[in-house]
């Protein structure tokens, strides 16, 4: 059903039909499972070449076809058009094999197939995980003058990568040995996705990040702390996202800081105290994230600041006073 030479819109409909068919008629479709999984592997294997083609200067002719269609009929009215116009408009259709949107739909279907047909996991996971991991690090070549099509394709690519990351987070514990070779590249890929993530997929990216931070694979995030302390990278610049995703983003950041508090410099700790002291006094945030922030600040006192190896004791004393002042102000009655 999901033909590799079909067009994007047809393939999107087909992929959703495949999902529903397996969900409702799984005993009769077991012989078709491997065909779909093999097709997904081919798409991920071809993804690096597709990225290069799609983001080249003449990308409109690489994986698309131009189809001439009649213009849409005019609104019905009592009058009739006697001009006999037969103008046609040209529509550019993207091949499904080059569609990031089609590939975005695949991980959730693969997850369903593995749940319904566990016997296919052992054969396919060792192939899929490396392909998916490599796809996370793909970045389009820099263009001096990107077209609207390039910008749209870039958004679709990042959305595809976020969906792929979400799939991989569920594989971390069960297939840790297969993921281990990519332990250092996962944090780098996550942060780069945060820096270019579309507004409508940032929540999913933050959820996937929290899943990773709950595993041993969080070790690689130690080198990314400075960038994650930048709220524009962590939460983005969209105003609506800033209001709705702050609790999720700050919770993930608090988990990371708590784990690495012994390894942070006083300069990094100063930035942490600045961020979470503001959260403590932000009445627009829920009491749960404020409580999380208080606990984090208290945990910084001993292991983070008092036992810090920094040679400047005055700097550490200043940080301790800032935490004390922030917590005292929080307990003071408001008039």
């Amino acid at each position: 059903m999901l033909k590799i030479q079909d067009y994007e819109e047809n393939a999107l409909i087909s992929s959703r039909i495949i999902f529903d068919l397996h969900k409702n008629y799984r005993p009769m479709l077991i012989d078709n499972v491997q065909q779909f999984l093999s097709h997904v592997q081919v798409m991920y294997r071809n993804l690096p070449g597709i990225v290069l083609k799609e983001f080249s200067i003449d990308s409109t002719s690489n994986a698309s076809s131009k189809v001439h269609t009649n213009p849409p009929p005019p609104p019905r009215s009592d009058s009739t058009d006697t001009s006999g116009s037969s103008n046609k408009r040209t529509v550019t259709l993207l091949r499904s094999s080059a569609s990031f949107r089609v590939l975005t739909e695949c991980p959730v279907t693969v997850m369903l197939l593995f749940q319904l047909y566990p016997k296919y996991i052992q054969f396919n996971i060792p192939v899929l995980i490396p392909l998916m991991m490599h796809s996370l690090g793909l970045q389009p070549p820099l263009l001096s003058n990107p077209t609207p099509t390039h910008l749209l394709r870039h958004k679709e690519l990042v959305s595809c990568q976020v969906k792929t990351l979400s799939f991989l987070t569920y594989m971390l514990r069960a297939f840790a040995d297969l993921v281990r070779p990519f332990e250092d590249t996962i944090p780098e890929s996550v942060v780069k996705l945060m820096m270019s993530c579309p507004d409508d997929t940032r929540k999913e990216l933050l959820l996937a990040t929290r899943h990773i931070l709950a595993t041993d694979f969080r070790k690689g995030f130690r080198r990314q702390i400075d960038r994650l302390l930048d709220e524009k990278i962590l939460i983005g610049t969209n105003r609506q996202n800033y209001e709705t995703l702050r609790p999720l983003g700050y919770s993930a950041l608090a988990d990371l800081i708590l784990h690495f508090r012994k390894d942070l410099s006083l300069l990094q700790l100063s930035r942490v105290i600045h961020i979470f002291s503001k959260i403590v006094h932000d009445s627009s945030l829920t009491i749960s994230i404020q409580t999380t922030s208080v606990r984090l600040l208290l945990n910084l006192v001993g292991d983070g600041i008092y036992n810090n190896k920094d040679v400047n004791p005055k700097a550490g004393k200043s940080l301790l006073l800032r935490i004390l002042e922030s917590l005292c102000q929080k307990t003071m009655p408001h008039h």
Side-chain angles (χ1 to χ4, degrees):
M1 179 178 288
L2 195 61
K3 295 181 179 180
I4 197 167
Q5 290 301 325
D6 209 335
Y7 293 112
E8 181 182 56
E9 293 301 328
N10 291 340
L12 286 170
I13 296 173
S14 297
S15 64
R16 290 159 190 163
I17 293 175
I18 290 173
F19 181 91
D20 290 337
L21 285 174
H22 282 285
K23 187 176 181 180
N24 295 287
Y25 303 100
R26 60 181 179 178
M28 296 179 287
L29 299 173
I30 190 170
D31 294 335
N32 299 312
V33 174
Q34 187 56 53
Q35 181 181 3
F36 180 85
L37 294 175
S38 297
H39 176 66
V40 174
Q41 293 172 18
V42 170
M43 292 189 71
Y44 274 107
R45 192 173 288 114
N46 294 338
L47 190 58
I50 293 172
V51 170
L52 289 177
K53 291 180 180 179
E54 282 296 301
F55 293 96
S56 62
I57 297 176
D58 57 344
S59 60
T60 54
S61 61
N62 284 324
S64 306
S65 297
K66 291 185 177 180
V67 179
H68 297 285
T69 63
N70 291 323
R76 294 183 61 184
S77 64
D78 294 335
S79 61
T80 58
D81 182 7
T82 59
S83 62
S85 174
S86 58
N87 293 331
K88 293 185 177 182
R89 62 190 178 97
T90 300
V91 179
T92 301
L93 300 178
L94 186 67
R95 294 287 186 184
S96 64
S97 57
S99 171
F100 303 133
R101 293 173 62 201
V102 172
L103 190 55
T104 300
E105 297 288 331
C106 292
V108 65
T109 304
V110 172
M111 177 66 72
L112 175 70
L113 295 180
F114 285 161
Q115 291 173 349
L116 298 180
Y117 315 99
K119 72 174 187 177
Y120 289 96
I121 294 177
Q122 186 175 2
F123 176 75
N124 288 277
I125 280 294
V127 180
L128 274 173
I129 285 182
L131 291 173
M132 288 182 163
M133 283 296 179
H134 283 114
S135 74
L136 296 180
L138 293 176
Q139 287 188 300
L142 294 176
L143 299 175
S144 58
N145 188 25
T147 66
T149 299
H150 289 137
L151 297 176
L152 176 61
R153 292 285 181 270
H154 182 259
K155 179 180 178 181
E156 293 171 352
L157 172 62
V158 175
S159 296
C160 174
Q161 291 171 313
V162 170
K163 191 67 68 174
T164 301
L165 178 67
S166 295
F167 173 86
L168 289 170
T169 57
Y170 291 99
M171 302 290 111
L172 292 180
R173 296 184 187 275
F175 302 96
D177 291 340
L178 293 174
V179 183
R180 193 68 62 188
F182 307 95
E183 184 175 9
D184 293 331
T185 62
I186 292 175
E188 182 74 21
S189 298
V190 168
V191 172
K192 287 182 178 179
L193 288 176
M194 286 183 176
M195 296 172 69
S196 58
C197 181
D199 296 331
D200 55 353
T201 58
R202 184 170 291 273
K203 181 178 180 180
E204 184 172 6
L205 177 56
L206 288 174
L207 287 171
T209 304
R210 286 206 71 179
H211 277 107
I212 299 172
L213 295 179
T215 69
D216 290 338
F217 290 94
R218 60 175 170 259
K219 297 176 183 177
F221 282 88
R222 167 66 184 87
R223 293 187 295 273
Q224 305 298 329
I225 286 181
D226 285 328
R227 287 200 281 183
L228 291 174
L229 288 174
D230 186 341
E231 294 173 287
K232 293 182 179 179
I233 294 178
L234 181 67
I235 304 173
T237 56
N238 179 273
R239 186 62 188 176
Q240 183 176 359
N241 277 358
Y242 183 78
E243 295 298 334
T244 58
L245 297 184
R246 279 192 301 166
L248 180 58
Y250 290 142
S251 295
L253 182 59
D255 293 340
L256 181 65
I257 297 300
L258 188 62
H259 185 76
F260 291 112
R261 63 187 185 276
K262 297 181 181 179
D263 305 318
L264 300 183
S265 67
L266 291 184
L267 180 60
Q268 290 173 321
L269 288 169
S270 178
R271 295 178 64 188
V272 172
I273 293 171
H274 174 72
I275 292 173
F276 286 93
S277 292
K278 289 196 304 180
I279 298 174
V280 169
H281 296 280
D282 192 338
S283 59
S284 67
L285 292 170
T286 61
I287 190 64
S288 61
I289 185 59
Q290 292 185 7
T291 303
T292 298
S293 300
V294 170
R295 289 173 179 168
L296 175 62
L297 293 174
L298 290 175
N299 276 284
L300 294 180
V301 172
D303 295 331
I305 301 174
Y306 186 77
N307 295 323
N308 197 279
K309 298 178 181 179
D310 194 290
V311 296
N312 184 2
K314 291 185 178 180
K317 179 181 178 180
S318 175
L319 297 184
L320 291 173
L321 290 175
R322 284 169 57 187
I323 293 177
L324 179 62
E325 181 181 10
S326 178
L327 297 181
C328 288
Q329 289 180 353
K330 182 64 177 179
T331 59
M332 290 177 62
H334 296 282
H335 300 286

